[in-house]
Amino acid sequence: MKKILVLTAFLLVTVIAFSSPKIVLNMVQVFTSPSRTEVLQNIINQFEALHPDVQINLISPPYSTAYQKIYLMLSTNQPLDIVEVGDWSLEGVVELGKLVDLRPYIATWDASNDIVPGLMKAVSVTGGIPYIIPNGVYAKALFYRPDVLAKYGITTPPKTMDELYNDCLKITNPQKNQYGFDFRGTGLPTNFIDIITTSYINDIDPNNMYKLTNGQLWFKDPRALEGLKKYVDFYKYTAPKDSINWGFDEQVNAFVAGTTPFLFQDPDTTGLLNTMLKPDQWMTAPLPVGPSGKVYPSYGFGGWGITTYSKNKDMAWEFIKFFTTPKISAYFCKDYGALPVLKSVYESDPYFSQGVFKAWQYMFEHPETYVFTSYPLSNKKWTEWNEYQQDTMQQVLLGNMTPQEALNKWYDFWKDAFSM
């Protein structure tokens, strides 16, 4: 009887041992949404099917608190192998010292030559070291609702900031809860502020959004004051008053409802809109240009990194490589809406040069007008900037500060940060 019990126990332990995953990877995303989570889980399932000895646990904190979660997990060495980081927070996360220098992995990775030119340099914001592999590229375009605009006789998207503003004024009617511009008041609205403000300036340094080509900061330039006043006017006269508190979710909801039919957003918004609107209810266009004849969008990116304390770094890298294959990259970007990071995807898949993606293609092909400009992500003051600019801008929108006072504060913030 004892032999039978011992044998049974042995077999039970053996079955459990062989049925349990040998490798468990914990992976956290930062740009969480229901549709994105579903896409990521499908990719994980495909990877697990190819690697039966691997289990990946996807952690999906709400977007509004995702970085708080990531900072806590990293700083306390909580179980985490793969971490997603966006461009504007990369420097701060790297400073924790918990991300692996990926150069040794990249050196033996054949697909590294397929990455969009300049993108790996863009992600290497700290000392030229790549701590993440990009999973998607982002850049603002103009989203609009042709069905809503047609009711007001607007049949083509505006090509200039003045045209956009006048179209927004034309359709704004607070009594009918109808407004023009889908304003972004919170959730780090830096890009929205800068796109309109700098469109009044024709000599922004492409290497630094806050400098002119002569090396000077533009915050004391009268053209900047004119541009910032226009940004404030968009809020005061063409947007709902409560949009001072709107972040991404509120923007998308208002756009879908038709309350605000003009929206500046990134390509990842396309994935959401595909599930919330009919194809003929929305479209994209190039960003409107300012009086300067130019507009200054910027490349954004997110990517996957590996924690220094992971016990399964090599397997984590295998997943990142799998994610960055043409098939998976195209699937992720189509369903989520980001622009692909691989050249081969653009060459082999016409999806990314048609329909709603034509707006980005047009901007990429006309760099003299759509001047893609870099933010100073590696500057030590960057981690403080987004919230500081948001807070001062809020005071302007509330009438507690003038646009000129805000520009003076921004100048004081950056004046000693760059070598002039």
Side-chain angles (χ1 to χ4, degrees), residues 273-295:
L273 297 181
N274 282 334
T275 66
M276 302 170 79
L277 291 172
K278 296 177 182 178
D280 61 348
Q281 288 184 300
W282 67 282
M283 185 47 71
T284 62
L287 287 171
V289 301
S292 67
K294 300 178 180 179
V295 67

Side-chain angles (χ1 to χ4, degrees), residues 87-95 125-126 377-380 383:
D87 50 353
W88 287 10
S89 298
L90 181 56
E91 178 76 13
V93 174
V94 168
E95 285 182 351
V125 300
T126 305
L377 303 180
S378 62
N379 193 284
K380 296 302 181 182
T383 55

Side-chain angles (χ1 to χ4, degrees), residues 82-330:
I82 302 170
V83 56
E84 184 175 36
V85 188
D87 50 353
W88 287 10
S89 298
L90 181 56
E91 178 76 13
V93 174
V94 168
E95 285 182 351
L96 294 175
K98 300 298 178 70
L99 293 184
V100 169
D101 177 350
L102 296 178
R103 285 179 295 183
Y105 288 107
I106 294 172
T108 59
W109 183 34
D110 293 339
S112 62
N113 294 324
D114 195 19
I115 299 290
V116 170
L119 188 53
M120 286 308 301
K121 179 181 179 181
V123 305
S124 305
V125 300
T126 305
I129 298 174
Y131 289 97
I132 63 171
I133 299 298
N135 57 26
V137 181
Y138 308 92
K140 295 289 187 293
L142 174 66
F143 288 70
Y144 65 98
R145 291 286 305 269
D147 56 337
V148 176
L149 299 179
K151 298 175 183 178
Y152 300 89
I154 301 171
T155 57
T156 58
K159 295 182 178 180
T160 69
M161 290 294 177
D162 284 341
E163 289 176 8
L164 173 61
Y165 182 69
N166 290 331
D167 284 349
C168 288
L169 282 177
K170 183 177 181 180
I171 67 177
T172 296
N173 187 337
Q175 283 71 38
K176 295 182 178 180
N177 194 35
Q178 180 66 71
Y179 298 87
F181 192 61
D182 204 336
F183 197 81
R184 175 71 164 262
T186 61
L188 308 182
T190 297
N191 218 214
F192 301 86
I193 300 169
D194 294 340
I195 282 175
I196 293 177
T197 302
T198 59
S199 73
Y200 281 68
I201 304 171
N202 65 0
D203 53 347
I204 297 292
D205 182 354
N207 297 308
N208 189 330
M209 181 66 84
Y210 298 122
K211 294 174 70 174
L212 303 173
T213 53
N214 65 9
Q216 299 299 309
L217 297 172
W218 52 253
F219 301 112
K220 291 194 174 183
D221 191 302
R223 297 171 296 176
L225 179 59
E226 188 178 1
L228 188 59
K229 285 181 176 179
K230 178 62 71 175
Y231 177 79
V232 175
D233 284 347
F234 269 103
Y235 170 70
K236 290 173 63 177
Y237 303 115
T238 77
K241 291 297 174 280
D242 63 337
S243 63
I244 192 172
N245 299 312
W246 284 7
F248 176 77
D249 290 343
E250 291 82 4
Q251 281 188 300
V252 171
N253 290 337
F255 184 79
V256 169
T259 306
T260 52
F262 286 117
L263 167 69
F264 292 166
Q265 260 305 339
D266 296 303
D268 56 313
T269 311
T270 64
L272 285 172
L273 297 181
N274 282 334
T275 66
M276 302 170 79
L277 291 172
K278 296 177 182 178
D280 61 348
Q281 288 184 300
W282 67 282
M283 185 47 71
T284 62
L287 287 171
V289 301
S292 67
K294 300 178 180 179
V295 67
Y296 299 90
S298 62
Y299 281 120
F301 55 83
W304 305 114
I306 301 172
T307 61
T308 54
Y309 57 86
S310 170
K311 296 179 181 179
N312 299 293
K313 295 183 182 66
D314 290 345
M315 186 54 69
W317 173 248
E318 287 301 313
F319 176 80
I320 293 174
K321 285 200 304 180
F322 176 76
F323 194 98
T324 321
T325 55
K327 179 181 177 181
I328 298 301
S329 179

Side-chain angles (χ1 to χ4, degrees), residues 395-412:
Q395 292 304 306
V396 174
L397 299 176
L398 291 169
N400 300 327
M401 185 184 298
T402 67
Q404 184 63 68
E405 288 172 336
L407 287 168
N408 291 342
K409 286 183 176 292
W410 297 348
Y411 176 85
D412 290 339

